[in-house]
Amino acid sequence: MIWVNGAAATGAAAIDAGDRGLLLADGVFDTALVVNGGVVWRAAHDARLVAFCAAIGIAADADCAGLPLARRIGEAMDLASAGMALGSVRVTVTRGPGPRGVAPPQTPRPTVIAARAPMTEPAAFRPLSLWVSGVRRNETSLASRIKSLAYIDSVLETAHARAAGCDEPLFLNTRGEVACSGVGNVFILRGRRLLTPPVEAGALPGVARCAVMQLAPRIGLEATEHGFTLEELAGADAVYVTNSLRLLAPVTRLGGAPLRARKNVFAGLRALLAAAAGLPDPGER
C-alpha cells in the first residue's frame, strides 16, 4: 500500500512527472521497523527525517499539500504502520516539482510518499557476509550523512557483492577508513570496546546504531565512535552491521575470509535490542 501526501494510491501512484525526486534524486527517505502496529523508535525516526529534510533545505513548516511537512511526515508514518503486526515502513520526501535545471526552487512544494511492507518473520539478527567495494564513500559530501535518494553506489555494489558470493558491500572512505556497509552501520568489537565510525568518516547517524550505543553499557561494553581500518576490522573480535530492520547482524566473513565471533557478546546485545524493539529473542526459542 502506498500513500502520496496522505491520499491512498489505489492504483498506480500519481507522481508529478516533473518531481525533482524522480528527475534528480532530490530528496531523502527513512525506513523503520513496525511491531504490533507501532514504529520502533518512532520519535527518533520522525526527528531524523525532519532533520534530513532541513539539511537539504526543506523546512519542517514547508507546505505539503495543505499540511506542514513535519505533520505530513508523522501522518505518513501513522498511515503506513497502522494495523500491521510486523513489517516495515518507508517514508520518502522529495523537493517536489520544479522548473528545469539543477538549482532548487526558492519555495519547495515537497511530496511525501509512504509505503508499507508486511513481514512474516523478522529480518533481525541474521548473519551476513561483506565484500570490500572498490567504490569510496565521500565523507566530505552531505550525501554520506543522510539517506539521500541517490543510492546508485549501493545498488550496483550490492549486485557486485552478490556476484562475489557475499551479501553486502563494505565501503571505505576516501582516506581508506571503514565507513559503512551498503545499507547499515558497522561496529567492531575489541575486548570490551565496541567501536563504530564517526559520522565524519562517511557514516550515517543510524537509529539502530544509536540504540546499540545506548544499550551496550548494560552488558559491560564501552561503545564509542572511533575510526578504524580494514585491517583492524579483519582482526577484530567480532564485527556487526546495524540498521533499523536487521537491528544487529553478526558478520561471519569478509570476502572469503572468516571473521571471529564472540557469541556471548552477541547474545547479550541481541537480548537487549529484541526487548527494546518488542521482538522475541530468537536465542530463547
Side-chain angles (χ1 to χ4, degrees):
M1 297 180 65
I2 297 175
W3 294 262
V4 179
N5 291 339
T10 54
I15 305 295
D16 192 309
D19 193 291
R20 292 173 60 92
L22 174 66
L23 299 180
L24 297 170
D26 188 1
V28 291
F29 73 98
D30 186 83
T31 303
L33 177 66
V34 176
V35 178
N36 296 326
V39 174
V40 176
W41 300 310
R42 168 65 186 269
H45 281 288
D46 282 355
R48 188 177 67 161
L49 187 50
V50 169
F52 286 166
C53 291
I56 65 170
I58 308 176
D61 61 357
D63 179 70
C64 184
L67 280 183
L69 175 62
R71 285 183 58 191
R72 188 66 78 186
I73 287 172
E75 175 195 58
M77 290 277 188
D78 290 338
L79 287 170
S81 62
M84 185 163 52
L86 179 67
S88 67
V89 298
R90 171 174 163 144
V91 178
T92 302
V93 182
T94 78
R95 202 179 301 272
R100 289 182 59 85
V102 174
Q106 289 188 346
T107 304
R109 291 183 290 131
T111 300
V112 175
I113 305 167
R116 63 190 288 163
M119 301 177 187
T120 56
E121 59 182 32
F125 311 123
R126 298 176 186 173
L128 58 82
S129 55
L130 294 176
W131 170 83
V132 182
S133 170
V135 174
R136 292 294 180 259
R137 182 92 161 176
N138 180 6
E139 73 279 3
T140 69
S141 169
L142 173 65
S144 71
R145 301 185 292 278
I146 63 175
K147 291 180 78 76
S148 161
L149 298 185
Y151 242 58
I152 195 64
D153 284 349
S154 288
V155 170
L156 297 181
E157 293 306 283
T158 296
H160 293 155
R162 300 285 172 85
C166 294
D167 296 306
E168 195 169 318
L170 176 70
F171 291 108
L172 309 182
N173 63 23
T174 63
R175 301 191 297 261
E177 304 162 332
V178 172
C180 60
S181 75
V183 290
N185 292 106
V186 179
F187 284 83
I188 64 171
L189 182 68
R190 297 171 69 180
R192 303 302 295 179
R193 298 186 70 202
L194 195 61
L195 308 177
T196 192
V199 171
E200 294 76 18
L204 187 78
V207 171
R209 170 184 183 265
C210 180
V212 168
M213 296 183 74
Q214 291 175 345
L215 293 170
R218 296 188 188 180
I219 58 170
L221 298 177
E222 177 193 349
T224 186
E225 290 187 336
H226 194 285
F228 49 85
T229 65
L230 183 62
E231 291 73 20
E232 289 172 316
L233 181 147
D237 296 327
V239 180
Y240 308 110
V241 167
T242 63
N243 70 24
S244 293
L245 302 186
R246 288 176 173 157
L247 300 186
L248 184 75
V251 182
T252 57
R253 59 185 172 90
L254 182 65
L259 297 175
R260 295 190 182 98
R262 287 273 295 279
K263 293 184 179 180
N264 60 325
V265 172
F266 174 64
L269 289 171
R270 184 188 62 209
L272 290 171
L273 285 164
L279 293 171
D281 181 354
E284 298 177 352
R285 294 175 186 170

